[in-house]
PDB file of all heavy atoms in Angstrom:
ATOM      1  N   ALA B 242       9.689  12.319  10.199  1.00 98.00           N
ATOM      2  CA  ALA B 242      10.635  11.839   9.251  1.00 98.00           C
ATOM      3  C   ALA B 242      11.036  13.007   8.250  1.00 98.00           C
ATOM      4  O   ALA B 242      12.227  13.115   7.847  1.00 98.00           O
ATOM      5  CB  ALA B 242      10.139  10.612   8.463  1.00 98.00           C
ATOM      6  N   CYS B 243       9.988  13.808   7.833  1.00 98.00           N
ATOM      7  CA  CYS B 243      10.225  14.857   6.985  1.00 98.00           C
ATOM      8  C   CYS B 243      11.181  15.924   7.613  1.00 98.00           C
ATOM      9  O   CYS B 243      12.056  16.520   7.019  1.00 98.00           O
ATOM     10  CB  CYS B 243       8.999  15.495   6.516  1.00 98.00           C
ATOM     11  SG  CYS B 243       8.066  14.498   5.376  1.00 98.00           S
ATOM     12  N   ARG B 244      10.885  16.149   8.899  1.00 98.00           N
ATOM     13  CA  ARG B 244      11.718  17.115   9.643  1.00 98.00           C
ATOM     14  C   ARG B 244      13.198  16.667   9.694  1.00 98.00           C
ATOM     15  O   ARG B 244      14.094  17.373   9.490  1.00 98.00           O
ATOM     16  CB  ARG B 244      11.186  17.183  11.082  1.00 98.00           C
ATOM     17  CG  ARG B 244      11.853  18.132  12.009  1.00 98.00           C
ATOM     18  CD  ARG B 244      11.359  19.513  11.751  1.00 98.00           C
ATOM     19  NE  ARG B 244      12.488  20.495  11.665  1.00 98.00           N
ATOM     20  CZ  ARG B 244      12.344  21.707  11.420  1.00 98.00           C
ATOM     21  NH1 ARG B 244      11.190  22.269  11.175  1.00 98.00           N
ATOM     22  NH2 ARG B 244      13.423  22.550  11.403  1.00 98.00           N
ATOM     23  N   TYR B 245      13.317  15.317   9.849  1.00 98.00           N
ATOM     24  CA  TYR B 245      14.682  14.712   9.829  1.00 98.00           C
ATOM     25  C   TYR B 245      15.316  14.916   8.466  1.00 98.00           C
ATOM     26  O   TYR B 245      16.485  15.227   8.386  1.00 98.00           O
ATOM     27  CB  TYR B 245      14.507  13.304  10.219  1.00 98.00           C
ATOM     28  CG  TYR B 245      15.882  12.520  10.236  1.00 98.00           C
ATOM     29  CD1 TYR B 245      16.796  12.706  11.294  1.00 98.00           C
ATOM     30  CD2 TYR B 245      16.261  11.711   9.186  1.00 98.00           C
ATOM     31  CE1 TYR B 245      18.037  12.076  11.322  1.00 98.00           C
ATOM     32  CE2 TYR B 245      17.536  11.029   9.142  1.00 98.00           C
ATOM     33  CZ  TYR B 245      18.394  11.252  10.247  1.00 98.00           C
ATOM     34  OH  TYR B 245      19.634  10.616  10.321  1.00 98.00           O
ATOM     35  N   TYR B 246      14.545  14.758   7.422  1.00 98.00           N
ATOM     36  CA  TYR B 246      15.091  14.962   6.071  1.00 98.00           C
ATOM     37  C   TYR B 246      15.587  16.379   5.887  1.00 98.00           C
ATOM     38  O   TYR B 246      16.690  16.608   5.373  1.00 98.00           O
ATOM     39  CB  TYR B 246      14.010  14.618   4.989  1.00 98.00           C
ATOM     40  CG  TYR B 246      14.495  14.504   3.627  1.00 98.00           C
ATOM     41  CD1 TYR B 246      14.984  13.365   3.092  1.00 98.00           C
ATOM     42  CD2 TYR B 246      14.633  15.668   2.811  1.00 98.00           C
ATOM     43  CE1 TYR B 246      15.526  13.226   1.799  1.00 98.00           C
ATOM     44  CE2 TYR B 246      15.194  15.602   1.523  1.00 98.00           C
ATOM     45  CZ  TYR B 246      15.637  14.422   1.063  1.00 98.00           C
ATOM     46  OH  TYR B 246      16.170  14.332  -0.197  1.00 98.00           O
ATOM     47  N   PHE B 247      14.769  17.342   6.303  1.00 97.00           N
ATOM     48  CA  PHE B 247      15.106  18.749   6.232  1.00 97.00           C
ATOM     49  C   PHE B 247      16.394  19.055   7.067  1.00 97.00           C
ATOM     50  O   PHE B 247      17.325  19.645   6.531  1.00 97.00           O
ATOM     51  CB  PHE B 247      13.930  19.585   6.676  1.00 97.00           C
ATOM     52  CG  PHE B 247      14.183  21.080   6.650  1.00 97.00           C
ATOM     53  CD1 PHE B 247      14.801  21.725   5.521  1.00 97.00           C
ATOM     54  CD2 PHE B 247      13.894  21.836   7.767  1.00 97.00           C
ATOM     55  CE1 PHE B 247      15.010  23.062   5.565  1.00 97.00           C
ATOM     56  CE2 PHE B 247      14.114  23.249   7.760  1.00 97.00           C
ATOM     57  CZ  PHE B 247      14.708  23.823   6.663  1.00 97.00           C
ATOM     58  N   ASP B 248      16.342  18.552   8.280  1.00 97.00           N
ATOM     59  CA  ASP B 248      17.565  18.837   9.165  1.00 97.00           C
ATOM     60  C   ASP B 248      18.817  18.216   8.697  1.00 97.00           C
ATOM     61  O   ASP B 248      19.859  18.810   8.831  1.00 97.00           O
ATOM     62  CB  ASP B 248      17.244  18.335  10.581  1.00 97.00           C
ATOM     63  CG  ASP B 248      16.131  19.120  11.305  1.00 97.00           C
ATOM     64  OD1 ASP B 248      15.897  20.304  10.817  1.00 97.00           O
ATOM     65  OD2 ASP B 248      15.521  18.625  12.284  1.00 97.00           O
ATOM     66  N   THR B 249      18.697  17.021   8.074  1.00 98.00           N
ATOM     67  CA  THR B 249      19.924  16.322   7.550  1.00 98.00           C
ATOM     68  C   THR B 249      20.395  16.894   6.230  1.00 98.00           C
ATOM     69  O   THR B 249      21.584  16.989   6.078  1.00 98.00           O
ATOM     70  CB  THR B 249      19.513  14.800   7.441  1.00 98.00           C
ATOM     71  OG1 THR B 249      18.867  14.383   8.559  1.00 98.00           O
ATOM     72  CG2 THR B 249      20.776  14.000   7.220  1.00 98.00           C
ATOM     73  N   THR B 250      19.479  17.196   5.395  1.00 97.00           N
ATOM     74  CA  THR B 250      19.956  17.537   4.027  1.00 97.00           C
ATOM     75  C   THR B 250      19.908  19.050   3.746  1.00 97.00           C
ATOM     76  O   THR B 250      20.470  19.489   2.802  1.00 97.00           O
ATOM     77  CB  THR B 250      18.952  16.937   2.974  1.00 97.00           C
ATOM     78  OG1 THR B 250      17.622  17.515   3.157  1.00 97.00           O
ATOM     79  CG2 THR B 250      18.882  15.420   3.073  1.00 97.00           C
ATOM     80  N   GLY B 251      19.125  19.823   4.623  1.00 97.00           N
ATOM     81  CA  GLY B 251      19.000  21.217   4.428  1.00 97.00           C
ATOM     82  C   GLY B 251      18.061  21.589   3.265  1.00 97.00           C
ATOM     83  O   GLY B 251      17.922  22.654   2.860  1.00 97.00           O
ATOM     84  N   ARG B 252      17.439  20.542   2.708  1.00 97.00           N
ATOM     85  CA  ARG B 252      16.484  20.765   1.586  1.00 97.00           C
ATOM     86  C   ARG B 252      15.076  20.984   2.139  1.00 97.00           C
ATOM     87  O   ARG B 252      14.611  20.070   2.831  1.00 97.00           O
ATOM     88  CB  ARG B 252      16.547  19.540   0.624  1.00 97.00           C
ATOM     89  CG  ARG B 252      17.871  19.254   0.154  1.00 97.00           C
ATOM     90  CD  ARG B 252      18.403  20.179  -0.876  1.00 97.00           C
ATOM     91  NE  ARG B 252      17.625  20.258  -2.070  1.00 97.00           N
ATOM     92  CZ  ARG B 252      17.597  21.250  -2.968  1.00 97.00           C
ATOM     93  NH1 ARG B 252      18.399  22.248  -2.767  1.00 97.00           N
ATOM     94  NH2 ARG B 252      16.820  21.189  -4.053  1.00 97.00           N
ATOM     95  N   ARG B 253      14.428  22.034   1.672  1.00 97.00           N
ATOM     96  CA  ARG B 253      13.044  22.253   2.122  1.00 97.00           C
ATOM     97  C   ARG B 253      12.135  21.233   1.573  1.00 97.00           C
ATOM     98  O   ARG B 253      12.199  20.866   0.438  1.00 97.00           O
ATOM     99  CB  ARG B 253      12.623  23.624   1.590  1.00 97.00           C
ATOM    100  CG  ARG B 253      12.405  24.640   2.687  1.00 97.00           C
ATOM    101  CD  ARG B 253      12.127  26.013   2.021  1.00 97.00           C
ATOM    102  NE  ARG B 253      12.938  27.011   2.848  1.00 97.00           N
ATOM    103  CZ  ARG B 253      12.759  27.250   4.104  1.00 97.00           C
ATOM    104  NH1 ARG B 253      11.748  26.687   4.754  1.00 97.00           N
ATOM    105  NH2 ARG B 253      13.499  28.148   4.701  1.00 97.00           N
ATOM    106  N   ILE B 254      11.110  20.792   2.373  1.00 98.00           N
ATOM    107  CA  ILE B 254      10.189  19.792   1.992  1.00 98.00           C
ATOM    108  C   ILE B 254       9.083  20.518   1.153  1.00 98.00           C
ATOM    109  O   ILE B 254       8.699  21.648   1.467  1.00 98.00           O
ATOM    110  CB  ILE B 254       9.533  19.141   3.196  1.00 98.00           C
ATOM    111  CG1 ILE B 254      10.562  18.566   4.170  1.00 98.00           C
ATOM    112  CG2 ILE B 254       8.488  18.095   2.814  1.00 98.00           C
ATOM    113  CD1 ILE B 254      11.271  17.410   3.632  1.00 98.00           C
ATOM    114  N   THR B 255       8.557  19.868   0.167  1.00 98.00           N
ATOM    115  CA  THR B 255       7.351  20.316  -0.515  1.00 98.00           C
ATOM    116  C   THR B 255       6.157  19.463  -0.028  1.00 98.00           C
ATOM    117  O   THR B 255       6.312  18.249   0.104  1.00 98.00           O
ATOM    118  CB  THR B 255       7.488  20.154  -2.084  1.00 98.00           C
ATOM    119  OG1 THR B 255       8.524  20.949  -2.552  1.00 98.00           O
ATOM    120  CG2 THR B 255       6.172  20.486  -2.792  1.00 98.00           C
ATOM    121  N   LEU B 256       5.133  20.109   0.318  1.00 98.00           N
ATOM    122  CA  LEU B 256       3.889  19.358   0.777  1.00 98.00           C
ATOM    123  C   LEU B 256       2.902  19.447  -0.385  1.00 98.00           C
ATOM    124  O   LEU B 256       2.483  20.538  -0.825  1.00 98.00           O
ATOM    125  CB  LEU B 256       3.326  20.080   1.983  1.00 98.00           C
ATOM    126  CG  LEU B 256       4.141  19.987   3.268  1.00 98.00           C
ATOM    127  CD1 LEU B 256       3.568  20.845   4.371  1.00 98.00           C
ATOM    128  CD2 LEU B 256       4.393  18.514   3.732  1.00 98.00           C
ATOM    129  N   GLU B 257       2.544  18.314  -0.913  1.00 98.00           N
ATOM    130  CA  GLU B 257       1.535  18.241  -1.942  1.00 98.00           C
ATOM    131  C   GLU B 257       0.131  18.108  -1.314  1.00 98.00           C
ATOM    132  O   GLU B 257       0.036  17.192  -0.417  1.00 98.00           O
ATOM    133  CB  GLU B 257       1.788  17.090  -2.913  1.00 98.00           C
ATOM    134  CG  GLU B 257       3.025  17.276  -3.776  1.00 98.00           C
ATOM    135  CD  GLU B 257       3.521  15.970  -4.334  1.00 98.00           C
ATOM    136  OE1 GLU B 257       4.152  15.148  -3.628  1.00 98.00           O
ATOM    137  OE2 GLU B 257       3.189  15.764  -5.495  1.00 98.00           O
ATOM    138  N   TYR B 258      -0.768  18.857  -1.818  1.00 98.00           N
ATOM    139  CA  TYR B 258      -2.094  18.750  -1.216  1.00 98.00           C
ATOM    140  C   TYR B 258      -3.113  18.844  -2.374  1.00 98.00           C
ATOM    141  O   TYR B 258      -3.391  19.882  -2.971  1.00 98.00           O
ATOM    142  CB  TYR B 258      -2.330  19.924  -0.246  1.00 98.00           C
ATOM    143  CG  TYR B 258      -3.394  19.725   0.740  1.00 98.00           C
ATOM    144  CD1 TYR B 258      -3.166  19.201   2.054  1.00 98.00           C
ATOM    145  CD2 TYR B 258      -4.766  19.980   0.399  1.00 98.00           C
ATOM    146  CE1 TYR B 258      -4.180  18.873   2.944  1.00 98.00           C
ATOM    147  CE2 TYR B 258      -5.761  19.784   1.370  1.00 98.00           C
ATOM    148  CZ  TYR B 258      -5.487  19.278   2.595  1.00 98.00           C
ATOM    149  OH  TYR B 258      -6.489  19.080   3.501  1.00 98.00           O
ATOM    150  N   SER B 259      -3.728  17.670  -2.663  1.00 97.00           N
ATOM    151  CA  SER B 259      -4.638  17.590  -3.740  1.00 97.00           C
ATOM    152  C   SER B 259      -6.044  17.927  -3.186  1.00 97.00           C
ATOM    153  O   SER B 259      -6.477  17.246  -2.220  1.00 97.00           O
ATOM    154  CB  SER B 259      -4.713  16.181  -4.366  1.00 97.00           C
ATOM    155  OG  SER B 259      -3.503  15.935  -5.015  1.00 97.00           O
ATOM    156  N   LEU B 260      -6.708  18.952  -3.668  1.00 97.00           N
ATOM    157  CA  LEU B 260      -7.959  19.461  -3.099  1.00 97.00           C
ATOM    158  C   LEU B 260      -9.141  18.734  -3.692  1.00 97.00           C
ATOM    159  O   LEU B 260      -9.400  18.735  -4.876  1.00 97.00           O
ATOM    160  CB  LEU B 260      -7.999  20.901  -3.392  1.00 97.00           C
ATOM    161  CG  LEU B 260      -7.019  21.752  -2.530  1.00 97.00           C
ATOM    162  CD1 LEU B 260      -6.867  23.173  -3.164  1.00 97.00           C
ATOM    163  CD2 LEU B 260      -7.538  21.911  -1.128  1.00 97.00           C
ATOM    164  N   ILE B 261      -9.881  18.092  -2.750  1.00 97.00           N
ATOM    165  CA  ILE B 261     -11.074  17.325  -3.187  1.00 97.00           C
ATOM    166  C   ILE B 261     -12.299  18.012  -2.511  1.00 97.00           C
ATOM    167  O   ILE B 261     -12.319  18.149  -1.256  1.00 97.00           O
ATOM    168  CB  ILE B 261     -10.963  15.815  -2.621  1.00 97.00           C
ATOM    169  CG1 ILE B 261      -9.659  15.205  -3.007  1.00 97.00           C
ATOM    170  CG2 ILE B 261     -12.128  15.074  -3.228  1.00 97.00           C
ATOM    171  CD1 ILE B 261      -9.380  13.801  -2.358  1.00 97.00           C
ATOM    172  N   GLU B 262     -13.216  18.386  -3.282  1.00 97.00           N
ATOM    173  CA  GLU B 262     -14.336  19.148  -2.785  1.00 97.00           C
ATOM    174  C   GLU B 262     -15.058  18.443  -1.641  1.00 97.00           C
ATOM    175  O   GLU B 262     -15.470  17.246  -1.786  1.00 97.00           O
ATOM    176  CB  GLU B 262     -15.302  19.454  -3.931  1.00 97.00           C
ATOM    177  CG  GLU B 262     -16.421  20.434  -3.548  1.00 97.00           C
ATOM    178  CD  GLU B 262     -17.290  20.743  -4.712  1.00 97.00           C
ATOM    179  OE1 GLU B 262     -17.938  19.793  -5.205  1.00 97.00           O
ATOM    180  OE2 GLU B 262     -17.331  21.913  -5.142  1.00 97.00           O
ATOM    181  N   GLY B 263     -15.259  19.186  -0.561  1.00 97.00           N
ATOM    182  CA  GLY B 263     -16.008  18.639   0.508  1.00 97.00           C
ATOM    183  C   GLY B 263     -15.318  17.580   1.320  1.00 97.00           C
ATOM    184  O   GLY B 263     -15.860  17.070   2.379  1.00 97.00           O
ATOM    185  N   VAL B 264     -14.139  17.190   0.963  1.00 97.00           N
ATOM    186  CA  VAL B 264     -13.411  16.053   1.694  1.00 97.00           C
ATOM    187  C   VAL B 264     -12.245  16.677   2.472  1.00 97.00           C
ATOM    188  O   VAL B 264     -12.195  16.492   3.667  1.00 97.00           O
ATOM    189  CB  VAL B 264     -12.859  15.050   0.677  1.00 97.00           C
ATOM    190  CG1 VAL B 264     -12.020  14.031   1.362  1.00 97.00           C
ATOM    191  CG2 VAL B 264     -14.069  14.369  -0.056  1.00 97.00           C
ATOM    192  N   ASN B 265     -11.374  17.417   1.865  1.00 98.00           N
ATOM    193  CA  ASN B 265     -10.194  17.955   2.550  1.00 98.00           C
ATOM    194  C   ASN B 265      -9.974  19.438   2.340  1.00 98.00           C
ATOM    195  O   ASN B 265      -8.855  19.887   2.468  1.00 98.00           O
ATOM    196  CB  ASN B 265      -8.931  17.142   2.124  1.00 98.00           C
ATOM    197  CG  ASN B 265      -8.610  17.292   0.726  1.00 98.00           C
ATOM    198  OD1 ASN B 265      -9.277  17.984  -0.068  1.00 98.00           O
ATOM    199  ND2 ASN B 265      -7.513  16.711   0.276  1.00 98.00           N
ATOM    200  N   ASP B 266     -11.060  20.081   1.931  1.00 98.00           N
ATOM    201  CA  ASP B 266     -10.923  21.587   1.654  1.00 98.00           C
ATOM    202  C   ASP B 266     -11.676  22.446   2.594  1.00 98.00           C
ATOM    203  O   ASP B 266     -11.968  23.609   2.364  1.00 98.00           O
ATOM    204  CB  ASP B 266     -11.293  21.846   0.195  1.00 98.00           C
ATOM    205  CG  ASP B 266     -12.740  21.542  -0.082  1.00 98.00           C
ATOM    206  OD1 ASP B 266     -13.462  20.951   0.768  1.00 98.00           O
ATOM    207  OD2 ASP B 266     -13.195  21.910  -1.242  1.00 98.00           O
ATOM    208  N   ARG B 267     -12.110  21.829   3.766  1.00 97.00           N
ATOM    209  CA  ARG B 267     -12.858  22.649   4.744  1.00 97.00           C
ATOM    210  C   ARG B 267     -11.892  23.532   5.545  1.00 97.00           C
ATOM    211  O   ARG B 267     -10.646  23.304   5.524  1.00 97.00           O
ATOM    212  CB  ARG B 267     -13.639  21.708   5.667  1.00 97.00           C
ATOM    213  CG  ARG B 267     -14.612  20.757   4.908  1.00 97.00           C
ATOM    214  CD  ARG B 267     -14.931  19.529   5.694  1.00 97.00           C
ATOM    215  NE  ARG B 267     -13.674  18.787   6.077  1.00 97.00           N
ATOM    216  CZ  ARG B 267     -13.607  17.787   6.930  1.00 97.00           C
ATOM    217  NH1 ARG B 267     -14.721  17.299   7.465  1.00 97.00           N
ATOM    218  NH2 ARG B 267     -12.475  17.232   7.166  1.00 97.00           N
ATOM    219  N   MET B 268     -12.494  24.476   6.186  1.00 96.00           N
ATOM    220  CA  MET B 268     -11.683  25.393   7.050  1.00 96.00           C
ATOM    221  C   MET B 268     -10.739  24.662   7.952  1.00 96.00           C
ATOM    222  O   MET B 268      -9.493  24.999   8.035  1.00 96.00           O
ATOM    223  CB  MET B 268     -12.607  26.299   7.928  1.00 96.00           C
ATOM    224  CG  MET B 268     -13.344  27.315   7.183  1.00 96.00           C
ATOM    225  SD  MET B 268     -12.288  28.574   6.514  1.00 96.00           S
ATOM    226  CE  MET B 268     -12.248  29.730   7.834  1.00 96.00           C
ATOM    227  N   GLU B 269     -11.224  23.670   8.659  1.00 97.00           N
ATOM    228  CA  GLU B 269     -10.329  22.959   9.628  1.00 97.00           C
ATOM    229  C   GLU B 269      -9.224  22.235   8.934  1.00 97.00           C
ATOM    230  O   GLU B 269      -8.131  22.070   9.500  1.00 97.00           O
ATOM    231  CB  GLU B 269     -11.138  22.074  10.571  1.00 97.00           C
ATOM    232  CG  GLU B 269     -11.802  20.891   9.891  1.00 97.00           C
ATOM    233  CD  GLU B 269     -13.303  21.161   9.650  1.00 97.00           C
ATOM    234  OE1 GLU B 269     -13.670  22.249   9.232  1.00 97.00           O
ATOM    235  OE2 GLU B 269     -14.096  20.163   9.725  1.00 97.00           O
ATOM    236  N   ASP B 270      -9.532  21.779   7.755  1.00 98.00           N
ATOM    237  CA  ASP B 270      -8.452  21.021   6.960  1.00 98.00           C
ATOM    238  C   ASP B 270      -7.332  21.994   6.632  1.00 98.00           C
ATOM    239  O   ASP B 270      -6.150  21.692   6.745  1.00 98.00           O
ATOM    240  CB  ASP B 270      -9.031  20.412   5.633  1.00 98.00           C
ATOM    241  CG  ASP B 270     -10.069  19.449   5.924  1.00 98.00           C
ATOM    242  OD1 ASP B 270      -9.927  18.622   6.770  1.00 98.00           O
ATOM    243  OD2 ASP B 270     -11.115  19.508   5.196  1.00 98.00           O
ATOM    244  N   ILE B 271      -7.811  23.225   6.273  1.00 98.00           N
ATOM    245  CA  ILE B 271      -6.758  24.155   5.737  1.00 98.00           C
ATOM    246  C   ILE B 271      -5.975  24.718   7.007  1.00 98.00           C
ATOM    247  O   ILE B 271      -4.743  24.918   6.895  1.00 98.00           O
ATOM    248  CB  ILE B 271      -7.349  25.306   4.957  1.00 98.00           C
ATOM    249  CG1 ILE B 271      -8.157  24.745   3.765  1.00 98.00           C
ATOM    250  CG2 ILE B 271      -6.319  26.337   4.446  1.00 98.00           C
ATOM    251  CD1 ILE B 271      -7.420  23.734   2.877  1.00 98.00           C
ATOM    252  N   SER B 272      -6.626  24.840   8.117  1.00 98.00           N
ATOM    253  CA  SER B 272      -5.887  25.273   9.348  1.00 98.00           C
ATOM    254  C   SER B 272      -4.826  24.183   9.680  1.00 98.00           C
ATOM    255  O   SER B 272      -3.687  24.497  10.069  1.00 98.00           O
ATOM    256  CB  SER B 272      -6.818  25.416  10.499  1.00 98.00           C
ATOM    257  OG  SER B 272      -7.836  26.253  10.194  1.00 98.00           O
ATOM    258  N   GLY B 273      -5.202  22.924   9.483  1.00 98.00           N
ATOM    259  CA  GLY B 273      -4.273  21.891   9.820  1.00 98.00           C
ATOM    260  C   GLY B 273      -3.110  21.890   8.861  1.00 98.00           C
ATOM    261  O   GLY B 273      -1.969  21.623   9.259  1.00 98.00           O
ATOM    262  N   LEU B 274      -3.387  22.135   7.560  1.00 98.00           N
ATOM    263  CA  LEU B 274      -2.377  22.198   6.550  1.00 98.00           C
ATOM    264  C   LEU B 274      -1.333  23.321   6.928  1.00 98.00           C
ATOM    265  O   LEU B 274      -0.083  23.132   6.819  1.00 98.00           O
ATOM    266  CB  LEU B 274      -2.920  22.416   5.198  1.00 98.00           C
ATOM    267  CG  LEU B 274      -2.049  22.788   4.036  1.00 98.00           C
ATOM    268  CD1 LEU B 274      -0.947  21.669   3.838  1.00 98.00           C
ATOM    269  CD2 LEU B 274      -2.826  23.046   2.738  1.00 98.00           C
ATOM    270  N   ILE B 275      -1.952  24.476   7.336  1.00 98.00           N
ATOM    271  CA  ILE B 275      -1.064  25.604   7.758  1.00 98.00           C
ATOM    272  C   ILE B 275      -0.160  25.222   8.868  1.00 98.00           C
ATOM    273  O   ILE B 275       1.094  25.477   8.892  1.00 98.00           O
ATOM    274  CB  ILE B 275      -1.915  26.831   8.087  1.00 98.00           C
ATOM    275  CG1 ILE B 275      -2.619  27.357   6.805  1.00 98.00           C
ATOM    276  CG2 ILE B 275      -1.170  27.906   8.786  1.00 98.00           C
ATOM    277  CD1 ILE B 275      -3.654  28.446   6.991  1.00 98.00           C
ATOM    278  N   ARG B 276      -0.748  24.544   9.868  1.00 98.00           N
ATOM    279  CA  ARG B 276       0.069  24.183  11.024  1.00 98.00           C
ATOM    280  C   ARG B 276       1.221  23.310  10.653  1.00 98.00           C
ATOM    281  O   ARG B 276       2.345  23.478  11.041  1.00 98.00           O
ATOM    282  CB  ARG B 276      -0.845  23.421  12.025  1.00 98.00           C
ATOM    283  CG  ARG B 276      -0.180  22.897  13.328  1.00 98.00           C
ATOM    284  CD  ARG B 276      -1.170  22.247  14.232  1.00 98.00           C
ATOM    285  NE  ARG B 276      -2.163  21.322  13.645  1.00 98.00           N
ATOM    286  CZ  ARG B 276      -1.920  20.139  13.246  1.00 98.00           C
ATOM    287  NH1 ARG B 276      -0.653  19.593  13.326  1.00 98.00           N
ATOM    288  NH2 ARG B 276      -2.887  19.419  12.633  1.00 98.00           N
ATOM    289  N   ILE B 277       0.940  22.226   9.839  1.00 98.00           N
ATOM    290  CA  ILE B 277       2.008  21.332   9.432  1.00 98.00           C
ATOM    291  C   ILE B 277       3.025  22.039   8.576  1.00 98.00           C
ATOM    292  O   ILE B 277       4.278  21.811   8.771  1.00 98.00           O
ATOM    293  CB  ILE B 277       1.416  20.104   8.688  1.00 98.00           C
ATOM    294  CG1 ILE B 277       0.555  19.278   9.681  1.00 98.00           C
ATOM    295  CG2 ILE B 277       2.494  19.216   8.042  1.00 98.00           C
ATOM    296  CD1 ILE B 277      -0.150  18.071   9.070  1.00 98.00           C
TER     297      ILE B 277
END
Side-chain angles (χ1 to χ4, degrees):
C243 288
R244 180 82 225 178
Y245 180 75
Y246 190 91
F247 176 49
D248 291 342
T249 311
T250 63
R252 305 287 297 161
R253 247 173 226 293
I254 305 291
T255 296
L256 296 172
E257 291 163 280
Y258 200 95
S259 294
L260 288 160
I261 312 171
E262 189 178 61
V264 174
N265 64 357
D266 63 352
R267 300 157 305 172
M268 288 293 267
E269 65 262 39
D270 298 314
I271 304 309
S272 305
L274 170 60
I275 291 170
R276 178 178 42 78
I277 293 174

